[in-house]
Amino acid sequence: MLLETVRMKRGRNDLVIQGMQHVAPAGFYKAIQAEIMAAAASGHRVYYEGLRNNEALDCLNEDERQISGFFRSLFATYDEVAAACGFVTQKESLYYPPDAVNADMSLRRLVVALGRPGPRSRAILWLLRKFYTEEMRQGLLLNIRSNPPREALLNGGRFHNFLALAVMWPFWPVLVDFRNFLVVDAVERDLEAGIADRAYVCYGQAHLPGIIGLFEERGWQVLDAGRRTAAMFLDAP
């Protein structure tokens, strides 16, 4: 997966947007950690992705419980893939400065929005039952364990793409598009309030096209964009 680093500017405001992935070699996150701290030291306020687990997941209806179960299974898969490959997860590897902003929503809010009765929730539940089975998940882990790290990383990327194309497309308006608005609004709100005039956004790569587009609608211009892959850090200490 190509991960972008995009630099944008609007007037006196500077912005860096860093694309991320959930599982990678430790060297990749060490490099990102150094960049986060350097950005904070140079006056950038840091904004990051991370579904908050600060609201109880009780009193959910049956459909919402199924969707919640999918996300908990998916999060567990990230941990298992990392362990099988000798990699680490983004969640366990990155430390954010004390004034950094979690520019995301709670898991409960996401689950309730996706489970709201209607065509979207029906499509989501059908796709989960058909494609995201425990047998499929265990087959993925077996495949990853039986391959060297570089191939395992590629297979993990293919699994992510499979989920996006076959299972998660009805999730997209909430899982991706709505969360893009959350981070852009968080940055713009702080800039307008004078809390910061520079921002560093650390968000999943799938979000970047939408995030960049929303900033461009608000008058930001792309200065440059670099690309790298987590596989480049396989041999890093």
Side-chain angles (χ1 to χ4, degrees):
M1 181 189 300
L2 283 174
L3 303 172
E4 294 180 286
T5 306
V6 179
R7 302 180 189 280
M8 305 185 75
K9 191 171 185 64
R10 184 186 62 192
R12 65 184 183 87
N13 299 135
D14 296 312
L15 171 65
V16 179
I17 310 173
Q18 175 60 56
M20 296 298 297
Q21 66 184 56
H22 294 291
V23 177
F28 170 71
Y29 294 122
K30 287 180 181 178
I32 296 298
Q33 182 71 73
E35 292 169 18
I36 288 173
M37 301 315 290
S42 65
H44 291 73
R45 193 169 203 200
V46 177
Y47 301 79
Y48 62 95
E49 169 191 21
L51 289 169
R52 297 189 296 275
N53 199 20
N54 59 345
E55 296 179 3
L57 289 173
D58 52 4
C59 300
L60 298 177
N61 64 37
E62 180 59 32
D63 291 349
E64 292 164 349
R65 282 195 294 273
Q66 288 188 49
I67 295 170
S68 172
F70 161 72
F71 281 107
R72 291 188 175 281
S73 173
L74 184 61
F75 299 155
T77 301
Y78 293 151
D79 293 334
E80 292 175 78
V81 167
C85 297
F87 298 157
V88 293
T89 64
Q90 175 183 344
K91 183 177 180 181
E92 70 177 309
S93 302
L94 293 183
Y95 161 78
Y96 300 102
D99 66 343
V101 177
N102 180 324
D104 211 332
M105 64 198 304
S106 70
L107 178 59
R108 180 184 177 86
R109 185 181 178 191
L110 174 65
V111 166
V112 170
L114 292 172
R116 189 169 294 123
R120 180 170 61 210
S121 62
R122 289 195 295 271
I124 288 171
L125 293 166
W126 184 84
L127 287 165
L128 291 180
R129 286 192 292 267
K130 185 171 180 64
F131 292 108
Y132 193 78
T133 64
E134 184 60 22
E135 181 181 8
M136 181 275 291
R137 199 177 77 87
Q138 292 300 328
L140 164 77
L141 293 170
L142 178 63
N143 178 282
I144 284 175
R145 291 188 186 104
S146 62
N147 281 288
R150 189 174 300 273
E151 184 64 24
L153 193 61
L154 289 172
N155 286 345
R158 293 183 188 116
F159 171 68
H160 185 276
N161 291 340
F162 164 77
L163 280 181
L165 293 173
V167 178
M168 300 184 76
W169 56 267
F171 290 56
W172 226 247
V174 178
L175 186 64
V176 177
D177 297 340
F178 179 69
R179 293 166 71 207
N180 293 347
F181 277 102
L182 291 180
V183 65
V184 172
D185 286 349
V187 171
E188 293 285 24
R189 189 166 54 247
D190 286 352
L191 293 175
E192 184 176 349
I195 296 173
D197 58 12
R198 299 177 180 180
Y200 181 101
V201 173
C202 191
Y203 237 76
Q205 178 61 37
H207 293 268
L208 260 65
I211 290 173
I212 292 166
L214 289 171
F215 276 121
E216 287 180 324
E217 290 175 6
R218 290 160 171 77
W220 292 82
Q221 292 184 321
V222 174
L223 297 180
D224 60 70
R227 294 174 177 84
R228 54 187 156 180
T229 68
M232 296 167 57
F233 296 85
L234 278 171
D235 300 322

